[in-house]
Structure formats: structure tokens, C-alpha cells
Amino acid sequence: MPEESKGQPGCSKWMNATGPDGEIVLSSRVRLARNIREVPFPYLASDSQADDVTRQIRQTSSELQDEMGEMRFFPIKNIPPLERQVLVEKHLISPLLIKEPHNSAVLLRSDEAVSVMVNEEDHLRIQCLLPGLQLEQGLAEANRYDDLLEEKLAYAYDEQWGYLTACPTNVGTGLRASVMVHLPALVLTKQINRVLSAIAQVGLAVRGLYGEGSEVVGNLVQISNQITLGQSEDEIVRNLYGVSRQIVEQEAQARQILLNEGRDRIADRVNRAFGVLSHARLMSSQEAMQLLSDVRLGIDLGLIEEVSGNILKELMVLLRPACLQMEAGRELDSLDRNRERAGLIRKRLESHYQ
Amino acid sequence: MPEESKGQPGCSKWMNATGPDGEIVLSSRVRLARNIREVPFPYLASDSQADDVTRQIRQTSSELQDEMGEMRFFPIKNIPPLERQVLVEKHLISPLLIKEPHNSAVLLRSDEAVSVMVNEEDHLRIQCLLPGLQLEQGLAEANRYDDLLEEKLAYAYDEQWGYLTACPTNVGTGLRASVMVHLPALVLTKQINRVLSAIAQVGLAVRGLYGEGSEVVGNLVQISNQITLGQSEDEIVRNLYGVSRQIVEQEAQARQILLNEGRDRIADRVNRAFGVLSHARLMSSQEAMQLLSDVRLGIDLGLIEEVSGNILKELMVLLRPACLQMEAGRELDSLDRNRERAGLIRKRLESHYQ
């Protein structure tokens, strides 16, 4: 947030660092849903009950300062609306959290790898977001914060059902683990539908970039567990990890096929994408994502050398409407955004050149 | 030709110099058809008659050395086939001249602004090719060579009909004057069909880049007189000049409209074209022409500053199959050509940058 206040959206750790299998798995996310015992879930709570929860978490986080590291507490209502949207675009909070900003809040670690949403669908949503395929590390980190908070807070927990949550699909572990994968070669070799339906058949959910119902753009897919009950946290994470590794293998093979069967054609494609990105004067979000996906593929295949692979992760966030308007320092209509977006891409690509 | 022999097609004067109205009129061409009295036209002449014509012209040109400037005489059969094709691509000779290479020849000035074809459709075709709108200058130059040759050669001339030619459409003045115009804004503003049919209505012919029947690519159009009889040379040239000036005005207005009504959109278009040209790895001839047309428009409108406007004229020739193969130093199949073409474009654009 301090960075946002300077009018320049900064990068979260997941955006500008790399991790294991980072060429294909852009990020891993683990979140735990928790609620306070004997307080109605947020959608049923009165204002004063919800305020009470917020106050309690703020208090707790300040008591746990030493153990939690550099965390800051922000009531959503104190964050200017545009900056709230920036947090959503960076995947640090959900759109739901800012929909009713009266009693909601977020606790955010300075590297933005850990965030705790307060009064979203549940009283607490502890989230860890890491670069690359780091589901176990994400779970460990989320668990550490969960354990710290549990020492101070009385969680709603049932011996038989486990953690109780506002929505029954989260009951049990309250765990949702997900990976964001970049699958351009499976798309280009027309294997993507087969792969995605296989994923659905093993009980995992496949979504676009910005959660349920969002379109798949830029060959980016989010894969997450659907089941939270009847499996341990470790099992859930191990299962998703295993599937992710298989997807990584399949995408890697497809990339090899592209190189073997038409190196010129794929080199042409990715370099054209780079040429358009670095020279266009107007650019829609959707086109930018497709071209950035191509450029990232080119970088991964060694066909484009001047640019860092993180350009995709950085720009897929920084080109979103709120980030763009923050960068421009003013409200932008759709045509303005297309102009600013093209300008920002050129600037970023130039600075990457140097 | 000396340059071709080094395996690097060089530029003719019309390609790398500019002339009046040079932003829209790329080149002006004037050619005079002449025949030797009492010798059958080439398509009826015996081998020995045709050889005799060639010998006579060679002799004459060597006697006129001082007056004609630095001219060189090349029997077509002595030119390697690929280099013959290069001369066609540079518009210095016609495809017909190299179709039957036994007795044909070309007399070529060192700046390649003047060429005299021997035993094409007629015994002599004196051609002057200049950058920009320079029809009168072209006519004066062609006339100068015509007068010099006429002093030594007995032309087939009839008091009533004028100069006699193999094809009746050339009888009289034997003059064909043409301009090559670049009309991207008339195309983009959808006025091109109206303008071209108006040109046809005043008795001028409209053609694509490589003569009759060739497709219009890269928004380039050749406009020439159809009538050679009943008008003086000056009238023919003055008429084509007047129409060319009107087209220049209309294209200039259309360019202003593009700037006024959507500067961002046109800037986006031309810069994208530049981005693709400077990064693609495979490029068809047709796509290259369209993108070069866009880039040239961008240069003319001041929206692209790093590159010289002559890039269009140079590359529209140097990217043709024979020039490409000369540059590569080997025969190329279609895919190879697309690769070499993309490479040559990148190289040229880089050298223009510096």
C-alpha cells in the first residue's frame, strides 16, 4: 500500500520473483477460511458484530507483531476506492471484500505474499500467494499464521465437521489451494480441451484469471481443489501438486513439439507479438494478454532474449484498469485506457531492454 | 550491373533519391518506342535480322559515348538468369525482354535512370525512370537520347501516322508515360475506387505494380496514358501530370482526414506495422508490401521518425524473389524466401535506425 500511495502500483512477491516450475506455474495460492465462534458469519452479522470482529483481529495482529513479521492492518473504508481495486487486481484481496467496505479489512504483509481478509464471506481468510509451484510452502506459511491467530482467537470448529464456514463448500479444512498455470503450447497444439477436461474429471476446478466465471485470457488457467471435506490439508495440497506437475510435463512436451515441428513459425509468432507490444499505440486488455502470453512463451523457449519472463506476471496486473488509472494519476475511459496501456507496455519493454 | 555482380542488388536512382511530390508519387517513367526502317519488327525478324539490330545499336551507342554519358551495353544472353530477373524487379527492363534472350539487349546508364531495351516488342525502347513527379524531365531526357540515336539510325516514321511500332497502340508518338503513386489514405478512407474510376474515365490506364494484369499491392498504383496518337508528346505528358497533381491533392487531403479524425488510430496502425516488420521471422511478399505501405504513411505523417521514407521504394524491389536470392547468394524456395525476406527487412530497419 505505501507504494500505491505514491501513485505507482508496485509488484507483489508473486509477480516479480520466480519459483519452482516457474516457467509454467506462475503462482501458487493457499487460503484458509476461518470464523470466530458464536459470532454470526459476516453476511448475517450486524454492523456492530462485524465491527467487533474487525476490532478483535486488529488487536490480535498488533499483539502478534513480532511473530507475524511486518504486517499492516487496513480497514477497507480507509483505502481510496481506486486503491482497493488495485489490491483486487494484484490478487491480494477478493472483489467481494470491497463490495461492502463498512466493516471489512485486510492485514497485509510487506512483501504481499501473505494477506488476511477480514469480514469477507468468512470472518477470516488467510491467504499465502507465492511465485511458481510452491503449494506446500504456501500451506506451511498459511498454517503458521493460522496457528498464531488461533492462539488468540476462538475459532468456530466442530469435532465432526472441522472448521465451520459461511458456505458449506468450505467446511472441513477451509482450505482452497490453487495454481495459476500458463499453457500456451497446449493451446497452440490444440490439446488444451483434452487436458482441462481431464483435470475436471479428477475433481479439480478450472477457471480463468479472475476467479469463477471469468474468461480464460492469455492462455492462463487457475486450477483449484473443490473438496475441502474428508481429506486432510496435506492430501488436498499433495493431490493438486501432483496434477500440477503432470500439467507442467504436458505443457513442456507441447513446447518441445512446437520447437521441433516449426521453430521458424513459433519464432515468428512470438517475435511479432513482441514487435506489436513494443510499438502499438492502442491496446485492449484482451489483446495485451494474448501478446504477453506469446512473448512469455518466446522467452521460455529462448526465442526472445532481451526481456525478463516476469514481464507477463507484472503486466498482467499492471495493465488492469485500476492499476492503469493509478499509474496515470487520473480516471480513464476505455479509449484512454487503451492508449495508456499501450504506453505502459512500451515503457516497461524499454526498461527491460536496458 | 556491376553492383549485381557483387551479389548485392544495388539501388537505382528512382529508388534512393526523392523528387517533387515524392511523398505520394514514388516515380515517373517515360518510354519511347522506336523501330529501324525496313527491318521487320522483332517478333517477325529472323535471327540474323535481330542480331543485326543489336549490333547496330551497340555500334551506335559506342559512337555516342561522349554524348550519352556512362552507358553500358549488355546482351541479355550474357547476363546470368537471376540478374536478368533483378533488372525486371528494378523496373529497368520488361519481363518480355528476357523471355527470348537470344537477340535482346539493354543499354543502361550507370545511375540506372536511363535504359534502352533492344529487340523487345520494338527494336528500341528508350526509357527514363526518375524519382517523384518528374514527367517533363523524364520526357526531356528520353527525347535527348532519342535525338542522339536518330542522328545515327534510320527510324521507321510515317508522315501521317508518326513513329511506326509493332503494336498499333503505340503508333504515333510511341510514348508511354506513367507514374507510380502511393495511395494508402485514399484506400483507408475508402475513396480509392471512386478516384481510380475517375482516372479511367479520362482515358488513363490504372495498373498494379508490375504492369498489366498485376495485382494492386501495398496501395501502389501505376497510372499511364493509353493514347499515343493524335496528341503531341507534350500534351500527353501535360495531361498525365495534371491528373497526377489532382491525385496528389486528394491523397494529401485524405491523409489530413486520417490525422484529424483519429490520430491515435492511425499512429497505432503505422507503428504496429513497424513493430511487425522489425521483429517478424517469416514474411510473405504481399504482407511486407502492406506493412511497408503503412510504415511509409507513418513516416510521411510524421508518426514514425527513425526511418527514411525511401525504405518503401528500396524494399519493394529488394524483397522481390530474384533480389532476395541474389542477396542470399543461393536459390530459395518459398519458405526460405519468407525467412530471408523477414531477415532482410530487419537488417534494413536496423541500419536505418542508426
Side-chain angles (χ1 to χ4, degrees):
Chain A
M1 204 77 57
E3 291 192 85
E4 273 77 33
S5 306
K6 279 177 286 166
Q8 298 264 331
C11 283
S12 306
K13 182 180 181 185
W14 74 269
M15 290 160 65
N16 61 12
T18 50
D21 288 320
E23 292 204 344
I24 293 164
V25 183
L26 300 195
S27 65
S28 299
R29 194 167 71 106
V30 168
R31 71 110 173 100
L32 301 169
R34 299 289 184 259
N35 288 280
I36 312 291
R37 186 179 300 171
E38 283 165 19
V39 180
F41 295 131
Y43 68 96
L44 288 176
S46 67
D47 266 3
S48 77
Q49 286 170 319
D51 278 345
D52 217 52
V53 169
T54 311
R55 216 172 301 120
Q56 214 179 328
I57 310 288
R58 175 167 219 161
Q59 175 64 30
T60 304
S61 70
S62 115
E63 288 165 21
L64 290 170
Q65 203 161 257
D66 293 344
E67 294 88 340
M68 281 192 167
E70 204 188 317
M71 297 284 275
R72 292 182 65 189
F73 186 92
F74 301 94
I76 297 300
K77 62 179 178 228
N78 292 0
I79 304 176
L82 192 62
E83 300 190 24
R84 295 174 199 167
Q85 200 57 48
V86 167
L87 295 177
V88 173
E89 292 176 353
K90 291 164 84 174
H91 297 271
L92 302 176
I93 63 175
S94 67
L96 186 63
L97 188 75
I98 63 175
K99 216 169 161 194
E100 295 288 346
H102 314 303
N103 320 106
S104 64
V106 63
L107 196 55
L108 193 60
R109 201 166 77 178
S110 59
D111 66 355
E112 300 182 356
V114 175
S115 58
V116 180
M117 290 190 279
V118 181
N119 283 327
E120 201 240 27
E121 188 180 286
D122 296 294
H123 293 146
L124 282 168
R125 292 220 160 169
I126 303 162
Q127 170 182 283
C128 180
L129 185 53
L130 296 173
L133 184 53
Q134 298 198 67
L135 288 166
E136 283 184 41
Q137 297 85 334
L139 178 61
E141 195 72 342
N143 276 340
R144 192 169 75 81
Y145 282 83
D146 185 39
D147 292 346
L148 287 169
L149 290 165
E150 199 165 14
E151 280 177 31
K152 305 274 179 181
L153 301 168
Y155 278 168
Y157 183 82
D158 178 276
E159 280 301 326
Q160 190 186 349
W161 295 108
Y163 292 102
L164 301 180
T165 55
C167 177
T169 59
N170 289 313
V171 166
T173 56
L175 169 68
R176 182 85 68 215
S178 68
V179 289
M180 190 193 300
V181 287
H182 182 225
L183 307 177
L186 287 173
V187 171
L188 283 173
T189 58
K190 303 194 195 306
Q191 300 177 72
I192 189 74
N193 288 336
R194 181 179 59 70
V195 171
L196 294 187
S197 57
I199 294 170
Q201 275 166 22
V202 298
L204 296 174
V206 179
R207 292 179 187 137
L209 192 51
Y210 280 82
E212 255 167 298
S214 70
E215 218 180 332
V216 174
V217 288
N219 307 314
L220 288 166
V221 166
Q222 236 185 96
I223 299 163
S224 60
N225 66 311
Q226 302 227 59
I227 293 165
T228 55
L229 196 61
Q231 284 188 318
S232 74
E233 282 130 335
D234 285 340
E235 278 171 329
I236 291 169
V237 159
R238 222 179 302 129
N239 178 31
L240 180 59
Y241 176 85
V243 171
S244 301
R245 280 291 310 152
Q246 286 178 40
I247 296 170
V248 166
E249 287 302 324
Q250 292 179 325
E251 169 68 16
Q253 278 172 26
R255 291 181 181 192
Q256 208 50 53
I257 289 169
L258 288 180
L259 279 182
N260 295 345
E261 294 188 357
R263 191 186 177 88
D264 279 334
R265 254 199 325 276
I266 191 70
D268 185 52
R269 182 188 175 96
V270 301
N271 278 289
R272 279 171 182 250
F274 181 80
V276 172
L277 280 175
S278 53
H279 289 86
R281 295 299 189 269
L282 295 173
M283 177 79 55
S284 74
S285 171
Q286 181 134 359
E287 186 189 9
M289 287 305 297
Q290 181 56 55
L291 293 173
L292 284 167
S293 168
D294 284 343
V295 165
R296 171 69 196 247
L297 177 63
I299 296 166
D300 292 346
L301 296 180
L303 299 169
I304 294 178
E305 290 182 342
E306 310 88 337
V307 190
S308 146
N310 286 332
I311 194 84
L312 170 64
K313 290 197 290 182
E314 285 180 35
L315 284 182
M316 65 188 259
V317 170
L318 299 180
L319 297 180
R320 305 279 307 172
C323 283
L324 265 189
Q325 295 180 77
M326 183 76 82
E327 172 87 18
R330 63 194 175 89
E331 269 193 59
L332 303 170
D333 66 20
S334 166
L335 178 66
D336 283 340
R337 284 207 297 274
N338 286 352
R339 193 187 301 110
E340 291 289 328
R341 186 177 290 114
L344 181 59
I345 294 168
R346 291 202 308 281
K347 211 169 78 180
R348 284 271 161 167
L349 287 178
E350 268 166 30
S351 71
H352 266 282
Y353 262 132
Q354 287 150 6
Chain B
M1 202 80 53
E3 291 191 84
E4 273 77 34
S5 304
K6 281 178 284 168
Q8 296 266 331
C11 283
S12 306
K13 183 181 179 183
W14 74 268
M15 290 159 66
N16 62 11
T18 50
D21 288 321
E23 292 203 346
I24 293 165
V25 183
L26 301 195
S27 65
S28 299
R29 195 167 71 105
V30 168
R31 72 111 171 99
L32 301 169
R34 299 290 185 259
N35 288 279
I36 312 292
R37 187 179 300 170
E38 282 164 19
V39 180
F41 295 132
Y43 69 96
L44 287 177
S46 67
D47 265 3
S48 76
Q49 286 171 319
D51 277 346
D52 216 53
V53 168
T54 310
R55 217 172 300 120
Q56 215 180 327
I57 311 287
R58 176 167 218 163
Q59 176 63 29
T60 305
S61 71
S62 118
E63 288 165 19
L64 291 170
Q65 206 162 256
D66 292 345
E67 293 89 339
M68 279 192 166
E70 205 188 319
M71 297 285 275
R72 293 183 66 189
F73 186 91
F74 301 95
I76 296 301
K77 62 179 177 227
N78 293 359
I79 303 175
L82 192 62
E83 300 191 25
R84 295 174 198 166
Q85 201 56 49
V86 167
L87 294 178
V88 173
E89 292 176 352
K90 291 164 86 174
H91 297 271
L92 302 177
I93 62 175
S94 67
L96 185 64
L97 189 75
I98 62 174
K99 216 170 160 191
E100 295 290 344
H102 315 304
N103 320 105
S104 64
V106 63
L107 194 58
L108 194 59
R109 201 165 78 178
S110 59
D111 66 355
E112 301 182 354
V114 175
S115 57
V116 180
M117 290 190 278
V118 181
N119 284 327
E120 201 239 26
E121 188 178 286
D122 296 295
H123 293 145
L124 283 167
R125 292 220 161 170
I126 303 161
Q127 171 181 282
C128 180
L129 184 52
L130 296 174
L133 183 54
Q134 299 198 68
L135 289 166
E136 283 183 40
Q137 296 85 334
L139 178 61
E141 195 73 341
N143 275 340
R144 195 168 75 78
Y145 282 82
D146 185 38
D147 292 345
L148 287 169
L149 290 165
E150 200 165 14
E151 282 176 29
K152 307 271 179 182
L153 302 168
Y155 278 168
Y157 184 82
D158 179 276
E159 282 301 324
Q160 191 187 348
W161 296 109
Y163 293 101
L164 302 179
T165 55
C167 177
T169 59
N170 288 313
V171 166
T173 56
L175 169 68
R176 183 85 69 216
S178 68
V179 289
M180 191 195 296
V181 287
H182 182 225
L183 307 177
L186 287 173
V187 171
L188 284 172
T189 58
K190 303 194 196 306
Q191 298 178 73
I192 189 73
N193 287 336
R194 181 178 59 72
V195 171
L196 294 187
S197 57
I199 294 171
Q201 276 166 21
V202 297
L204 297 173
V206 178
R207 294 181 186 131
L209 194 48
Y210 281 81
E212 255 167 296
S214 70
E215 218 182 332
V216 174
V217 289
N219 306 315
L220 288 165
V221 166
Q222 236 186 96
I223 299 163
S224 60
N225 65 308
Q226 303 228 57
I227 293 164
T228 56
L229 196 62
Q231 284 189 320
S232 74
E233 282 131 335
D234 285 341
E235 278 171 330
I236 292 169
V237 159
R238 220 178 303 126
N239 178 31
L240 180 58
Y241 176 85
V243 171
S244 301
R245 280 291 311 151
Q246 285 177 41
I247 296 169
V248 166
E249 286 302 324
Q250 290 178 327
E251 169 68 15
Q253 277 171 27
R255 292 181 181 191
Q256 208 49 54
I257 289 169
L258 288 179
L259 279 181
N260 294 347
E261 293 187 358
R263 191 184 177 89
D264 279 335
R265 255 201 321 277
I266 191 69
D268 184 52
R269 181 187 177 98
V270 301
N271 278 288
R272 279 170 181 250
F274 182 81
V276 172
L277 280 175
S278 54
H279 289 87
R281 295 299 189 268
L282 295 173
M283 176 80 54
S284 74
S285 170
Q286 180 133 1
E287 186 189 10
M289 287 304 298
Q290 181 56 54
L291 294 173
L292 284 167
S293 168
D294 284 343
V295 165
R296 170 70 195 246
L297 177 63
I299 296 165
D300 292 345
L301 296 180
L303 298 169
I304 294 178
E305 290 182 343
E306 311 88 337
V307 191
S308 145
N310 287 331
I311 193 83
L312 170 64
K313 290 197 288 182
E314 285 179 34
L315 285 181
M316 65 188 258
V317 169
L318 299 179
L319 297 180
R320 305 279 307 172
C323 283
L324 264 189
Q325 295 180 75
M326 183 76 84
E327 171 88 18
R330 62 191 175 91
E331 270 193 57
L332 303 171
D333 66 19
S334 165
L335 178 66
D336 282 340
R337 284 207 298 275
N338 286 352
R339 192 186 302 110
E340 291 289 327
R341 186 177 290 115
L344 180 59
I345 295 169
R346 291 202 307 280
K347 211 168 78 179
R348 285 269 161 168
L349 287 178
E350 268 166 30
S351 72
H352 266 283
Y353 262 131
Q354 287 151 5

